[in-house]
Amino acid sequence: MSPRHQARRTHLPPADLHRRFLGWARSRDGTMFHVNPEPGAEIHHTDPFAVPADQRSPVRRLRGRLASPVTLWTAPGPAGLTVSSTLVAEGEPDRLLGLIDAESDLWAAVEEAGRFAVAPLGPAHRQLADRFAGLFPSPGGLFAAGAWTETPYGPVPTDAGGWAGCRLDTAREYGWALLVEATVEAVELVEETDPLLHYRGRYRELT
């Protein structure tokens, strides 16, 4: 997931290599962005070097069949990242876990601040999710578009269904990602909203 981790790997599938190094374009303002002709439709789009589905890693195929909620993690700075591997564990104290890129701007901000916010996204946030995942251009910066509510843990989308404020406890390498463990210190919920899901490389909605 991170450039540092990628440098230590020699067994990435050709499709992943093509997506990481060739699947980019430059907007008029010079911003680099991932080529994604239909926002939110394909996080892992098809390309000429794609590995046939039946030849992909069984673990990758299994992961793709597990529907995951799409969330936005932000931290003071500000910095943000779309995350689809978030888990909340009730207890004393309540905890939150997630897998993120260790080389992301978000992780640098979380490390420095020691806290971050997590907001569940809905169907209306497809383009926002792509923007913070680096799949859509963001002229003026990631937070330039949309309405944001400032919190002590980081800005959150004003129209999100709510947010959780978390204190960083620990983080460690886990697979190709960084497993972040945190304590939930604050929760703000508004009206009930439908979730945005990620399933088999696509955004989905409840039907």
Side-chain angles (χ1 to χ4, degrees):
M1 283 195 175
S2 69
R4 184 182 68 190
H5 292 169
Q6 301 258 347
R8 296 202 299 261
R9 299 176 206 141
T10 59
H11 56 282
L12 281 179
D16 288 348
L17 291 171
H18 179 270
R19 177 173 61 84
R20 181 168 297 276
F21 296 110
L22 301 179
W24 296 85
R26 187 180 297 275
S27 65
R28 291 181 179 178
D29 68 348
T31 302
M32 295 297 294
F33 63 93
H34 198 278
V35 177
N36 192 19
E38 186 181 346
E42 289 283 358
I43 290 181
H44 301 291
H45 62 284
T46 301
D47 61 62
F49 302 98
V51 178
D54 60 354
Q55 296 179 25
R56 295 172 188 165
S57 159
V59 171
R60 181 180 177 187
R61 293 167 62 191
L62 172 62
R63 182 188 64 184
R65 297 185 185 189
L66 301 177
S68 305
V70 181
T71 64
L72 179 67
W73 290 31
T74 62
L81 184 68
T82 303
V83 180
S84 60
S85 55
T86 302
L87 179 67
V88 175
E90 291 183 87
E92 296 181 357
D94 299 315
R95 306 294 300 282
L96 182 140
L97 302 90
L99 294 172
I100 67 171
D101 183 351
E103 294 297 327
S104 64
D105 291 340
L106 170 75
W107 173 239
V110 170
E111 264 195 312
E112 181 175 349
R115 62 189 188 276
F116 60 95
V118 175
L121 300 183
H125 298 122
R126 288 173 178 247
Q127 193 174 99
L128 180 148
D130 269 358
R131 191 165 77 242
F132 278 85
L135 305 177
F136 199 78
S138 52
L142 292 173
F143 295 89
W148 299 89
T149 298
E150 294 296 330
T151 80
Y153 301 89
V156 297
T158 301
D159 58 350
W163 58 274
C166 304
R167 183 186 74 245
L168 175 65
D169 292 329
T170 186
R172 57 194 171 97
E173 289 188 3
Y174 207 77
W176 286 354
L178 187 72
L179 174 62
V180 174
E181 301 180 21
T183 296
V184 178
E185 295 187 326
V187 175
E188 294 285 343
L189 298 176
V190 292
E191 76 251 19
E192 189 80 17
T193 58
D194 288 338
L196 179 64
L197 303 176
H198 186 247
Y199 176 70
R200 304 193 79 166
R202 293 177 178 268
Y203 293 142
R204 304 296 178 105
E205 302 175 26
L206 293 179
T207 57

